[in-house]
């Protein structure tokens, strides 16, 4: 267990007046805790050094300590750990949570995304600095380290609490220092994904899951979310069919079988740089084709789930954790009466069609063959 020294509550400068999460956020004069990735974690340009899964890592300990500190200080709107959760009867064992205290959750989930912190990009450091926990950046030192108070780097990931959490440890991860984030393609998107993937790997906690919801072509926002789940999500329990496998580079792409929303799994035990590069090129293709998608990173960063939604940007767009099989309800009646058939219908109605899915799989195989 790693012990984290309590951080100074006055780390953020009172002169920080710009808004967090915007492409041109002015960070001059702002001091916050910086967690810096070390270079020793990488093995050449291809893989990762072996990490023990038994001892808690520094980043995992830091995140949980800061998040729980925010909980004890009353920064959250409710105690999510008191929410009732059940397994919905049926073969897929979907999970349902009753959360009538979450004011952001839509009573009718199909009409809007649920549990999305409002005005994320109007986040004012001078008024709500308690929601910003720390930032993560790269460094040229061998070992990862925590700097308790430092300037905001030009390229970093802001770690913020979600005041309307859906699970324990729920945070936002907001890239800082990238222009035109929602249009990020190729190398730029690859760099953002690499940072986020690195976070999942270095946290090294099997319960930790990262999520991304593509906001649509008219949005300028780009943020990831993450939280801890005590058990596997339903999609992680489903059988898979290998679509592409490279034993030498230890990277594979599989399709999830017998699941209502079309899903691909990008997987690697060591070559996460190549994994991210293939995924970034795949996303560029999806954007060009107008296909909406969601991402979920799990299993210590070894697996990235790509959920493919219908080729439309209608109001009916579900979240990444719903794609994974985790659903929220504000109504006790809906919570008590929901069935597997209801949830299957909800997921199937937004899924990419069979013909388009075949095209996406062909593109993925072509990309990974070229890359590896």
């Amino acid at each position: 267990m790693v012990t984290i020294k309590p951080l100074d509550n006055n780390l953020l400068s009172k002169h920080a007046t710009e808004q967090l999460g915007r492409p041109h956020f002015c960070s001059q004069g702002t001091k916050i805790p910086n967690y810096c990735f070390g270079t020793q974690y990488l093995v050449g340009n291809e893989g990762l050094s072996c990490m023990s899964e038994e001892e808690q890592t520094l980043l995992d300990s830091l995140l949980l300590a800061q998040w729980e500190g925010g909980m004890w200080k009353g920064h959250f709107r409710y105690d999510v750990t008191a929410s009732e959760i059940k397994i919905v009867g049926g073969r897929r064992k979907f999970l349902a949570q009753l959360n009538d205290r979450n004011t952001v959750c839509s009573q009718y989930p199909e009409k809007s995304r649920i549990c999305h912190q409002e005005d994320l990009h109007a986040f004012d450091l001078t008024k709500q600095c308690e929601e910003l926990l720390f930032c993560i950046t790269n460094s040229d030192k061998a070992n990862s380290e925590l700097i308790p108070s430092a300037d905001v780097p030009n390229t970093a990931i802001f770690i913020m609490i979600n005041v309307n959490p859906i699970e324990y440890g729920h945070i936002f991860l907001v890239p800082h220092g990238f222009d035109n984030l929602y249009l990020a393609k190729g190398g730029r998107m690859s760099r953002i994904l690499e940072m986020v993937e690195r976070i999942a790997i270095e946290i090294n906690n099997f319960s930790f899951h990262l999520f991304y919801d593509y906001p649509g072509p008219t949005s300028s926002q780009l943020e990831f979310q993450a939280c801890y789940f005590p058990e596997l999500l339903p999609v992680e329990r489903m059988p898979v069919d290998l679509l592409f496998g490279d034993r030498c580079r230890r990277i594979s792409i599989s399709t999830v079988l017998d699941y209502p929303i079309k899903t691909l799994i990008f997987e690697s035990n060591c070559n996460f740089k190549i994994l991210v590069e293939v995924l970034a090129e795949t996303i560029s293709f999806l954007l060009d084709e107008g296909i909406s998608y969601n991402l979920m990173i799990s299993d210590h960063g070894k697996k990235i789930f790509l959920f493919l939604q219908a080729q439309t940007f209608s109001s009916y767009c579900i979240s990444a954790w719903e794609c994974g099989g985790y659903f929220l309800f504000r109504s006790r009646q809906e919570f008590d009466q929901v069935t597997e058939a209801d949830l299957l219908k909800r997921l199937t109605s937004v899924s990419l069609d069979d013909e388009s899915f075949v095209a996406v799989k062909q593109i993925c195989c072509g990309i990974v063959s070229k890359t590896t």
Side-chain angles (χ1 to χ4, degrees):
M1 177 69 70
V2 178
T3 301
I4 298 297
K5 181 180 178 181
L7 299 175
D8 187 353
N9 290 331
N10 298 315
L11 289 172
L12 298 178
S13 169
K14 64 181 179 180
H15 301 294
T17 58
E18 294 293 323
Q19 294 176 332
L20 177 63
R22 292 185 174 178
H24 299 287
F25 169 63
C26 179
S27 56
Q28 184 176 4
T30 302
K31 300 282 187 179
I32 63 174
N34 279 208
Y35 183 88
C36 305
F37 286 138
T39 59
Q40 182 175 301
Y41 195 61
L42 301 177
V43 179
N45 293 320
E46 295 185 351
L48 301 171
S49 59
C50 295
M51 292 187 64
S52 169
E53 298 181 4
E54 298 178 358
E55 183 177 356
Q56 186 177 28
T57 65
L58 175 62
L59 183 55
D60 189 41
S61 181
L62 170 64
L63 172 56
L64 292 177
Q66 292 286 83
W67 192 87
E68 289 186 353
M71 181 172 63
W72 286 110
K73 292 175 183 177
H75 296 329
F76 298 94
R77 294 181 177 173
Y78 51 83
D79 178 11
V80 70
T81 62
S83 298
E84 183 179 348
I85 299 175
K86 73 173 184 179
I87 298 175
V88 178
R91 183 161 49 85
R92 294 166 185 83
K93 301 187 184 304
F94 290 126
L95 297 170
Q97 179 190 129
L98 175 62
N99 193 332
D100 57 358
R101 294 155 296 176
N102 191 308
T103 58
V104 182
C105 289
S106 170
Q107 187 172 359
Y108 304 97
E110 67 275 8
K111 294 186 178 179
S112 65
R113 293 188 183 205
I114 59 177
C115 289
H116 192 289
Q117 181 166 320
E118 65 271 39
D119 298 328
L120 175 63
H121 297 281
F123 182 82
D124 191 334
L125 291 175
T126 62
K127 297 179 180 179
Q128 297 174 291
C129 61
E130 68 274 4
E131 294 182 27
L132 177 59
L133 301 180
F134 57 94
C135 76
I136 297 177
T137 187
N138 290 312
S139 76
D140 55 3
K141 294 186 178 181
N143 297 316
S144 297
E145 64 175 350
L146 172 63
I147 303 175
S149 179
D151 293 328
V152 176
N154 289 330
T155 55
I157 303 290
F158 285 108
I159 306 299
M160 302 164 48
I161 63 172
N162 185 337
V163 298
N164 301 287
I166 68 155
E167 254 297 352
Y168 180 78
H170 194 166
I171 57 170
F172 283 106
L173 302 92
V174 183
H176 161 64
F178 296 88
D179 292 329
N180 299 321
L181 291 175
Y182 74 101
L183 292 177
K185 293 185 178 182
R188 184 180 298 164
M189 187 61 174
S190 180
R191 289 194 299 272
I192 297 172
L193 286 170
E194 185 177 320
M195 283 285 289
V196 174
E197 169 77 358
R198 179 76 181 272
I199 291 171
I201 295 171
E202 193 147 334
I203 281 182
N204 198 38
N205 189 319
F206 191 79
S207 299
F208 186 74
H209 289 64
L210 271 158
F211 301 97
Y212 174 69
D213 298 320
Y214 175 56
T218 61
S219 174
S220 61
Q221 71 182 36
L222 188 153
E223 80 267 357
F224 294 79
Q225 300 187 55
C227 52
Y228 292 76
F229 292 93
E231 303 291 342
L232 291 174
L233 292 182
V235 71
E236 298 178 89
R237 301 180 184 274
M238 300 304 298
V240 300
D241 180 42
L242 182 64
L243 180 64
F244 179 94
D246 187 326
R247 293 183 179 179
C248 294
R249 307 302 289 273
R250 287 184 287 180
I251 183 172
S252 66
I253 301 177
S254 302
T255 58
V256 178
L257 300 177
D258 195 26
Y259 200 66
I261 188 167
K262 301 294 192 300
T263 306
L264 295 174
I265 306 177
F266 297 73
E267 186 172 3
S268 178
N269 289 325
C270 61
N271 288 332
F272 87 98
K273 281 179 174 281
I274 294 179
L275 185 72
V276 166
E277 184 179 343
V278 170
L279 180 62
E281 288 200 39
T282 301
I283 288 174
S284 292
F285 167 77
L286 297 178
L287 295 178
D288 290 338
E289 296 298 315
I291 300 175
S292 185
Y293 68 94
N294 310 73
L295 298 175
M296 183 180 81
I297 302 176
S298 65
D299 193 10
H300 309 279
K302 297 175 184 176
K303 295 179 181 179
I304 304 179
F305 290 76
L306 175 63
F307 304 107
L308 299 162
Q309 296 195 37
Q311 299 182 40
T312 176
F313 299 111
S314 65
S315 57
Y316 190 2
C317 188
I318 65 175
S319 65
W321 51 78
E322 285 181 295
C323 292
Y326 192 90
F327 300 85
L328 273 67
F329 297 88
R330 291 190 64 193
S331 163
R332 163 62 73 175
Q333 181 178 4
E334 290 182 346
F335 175 78
D336 289 339
Q337 296 180 357
V338 66
T339 65
E340 183 183 65
D342 296 331
L343 300 179
L344 287 173
K345 181 179 179 181
R346 183 183 301 182
L347 292 176
T348 302
S349 65
V350 300
S351 178
L352 191 67
D353 61 88
D354 293 339
E355 182 178 354
S356 298
F357 189 45
V358 171
V360 171
K361 289 190 289 184
Q362 291 174 344
I363 290 294
C364 286
C365 288
I367 292 173
V368 72
S369 297
K370 177 185 65 176
T371 304
T372 57

